[in-house]
Amino acid sequence: MSHPLLRRRPARGFTLLELLVVLVILGLLAGYVAPRYFSQVGKSEIKTARAQIDALEKALDQYRLDTGRYPSVEQGLNALNQKPADEARWQGPYLKKAVPLDPWGKPYQYRYPGERSEVDLFSLGPDGQPGGEGEGADIGNW
């Protein structure tokens, strides 16, 4: 009679083939799900940029109603939070928080007078370059 501790137990675990099958299935799932997920992330960043531009544009309109004109390019969007030295009719701040960066971490571009509308307010998009097409296109108030 053998001692209970010396008895061999059947080996437990997965075979190499079973592990490979699981890895292939995980790879297929990742290949299917990842592109769909990341395209949604890109779309949400674009929607965020559009919403921020809309909010900034409304703040600029309120600034113009109070002062009679939009901030100069030199004053920029900071005039929405900090009173310009030469602006007696400023009633701000016009934003609750500081001027946000775009979803890609870059400042929004501001032009007055604008080339496409009275005021141009835009982000250079994910590529950070002027122009572009598709998801790399500029996002603006035009």
Side-chain angles (χ1 to χ4, degrees):
M1 188 158 165
S2 64
H3 192 272
L5 293 176
L6 297 177
R7 270 192 234 147
R8 279 191 102 156
R9 289 191 212 168
R12 294 184 184 188
F14 297 106
T15 65
L16 182 59
L17 183 60
E18 290 170 329
L19 289 174
L20 287 174
V21 168
V22 169
L23 288 174
V24 166
I25 290 172
L26 288 174
L28 289 172
L29 284 173
Y32 179 74
V33 172
R36 294 182 189 283
Y37 172 75
F38 288 115
S39 72
Q40 294 301 317
V41 170
K43 288 178 185 175
S44 68
E45 289 172 334
I46 291 170
K47 287 180 183 178
T48 299
R50 289 187 198 282
Q52 288 177 333
I53 288 170
D54 185 52
L56 290 171
E57 191 173 27
K58 287 177 181 170
L60 285 167
D61 288 340
Q62 186 62 47
Y63 180 99
R64 186 187 62 157
L65 286 172
D66 288 347
T67 64
R69 61 182 176 82
Y70 288 109
S72 67
V73 173
E74 292 78 28
Q75 293 168 332
L77 296 175
N78 289 330
L80 298 173
N81 281 335
Q82 299 171 358
K83 180 180 179 185
D86 59 344
E87 194 55 70
R89 297 183 344 190
W90 191 84
Q91 299 293 316
Y94 299 96
L95 295 172
K96 291 181 182 179
K97 298 180 182 178
V99 176
L101 296 175
D102 72 12
W104 302 279
K106 297 184 177 64
Y108 282 100
Q109 306 295 306
Y110 171 72
R111 269 189 280 201
Y112 175 70
E115 294 174 4
R116 298 186 182 199
S117 61
E118 189 173 6
V119 171
D120 286 350
L121 184 59
F122 60 99
S123 165
L124 296 175
D127 62 2
Q129 303 296 320
E133 294 180 12
E135 287 191 13
D138 296 349
I139 302 155
N141 64 335
W142 47 80

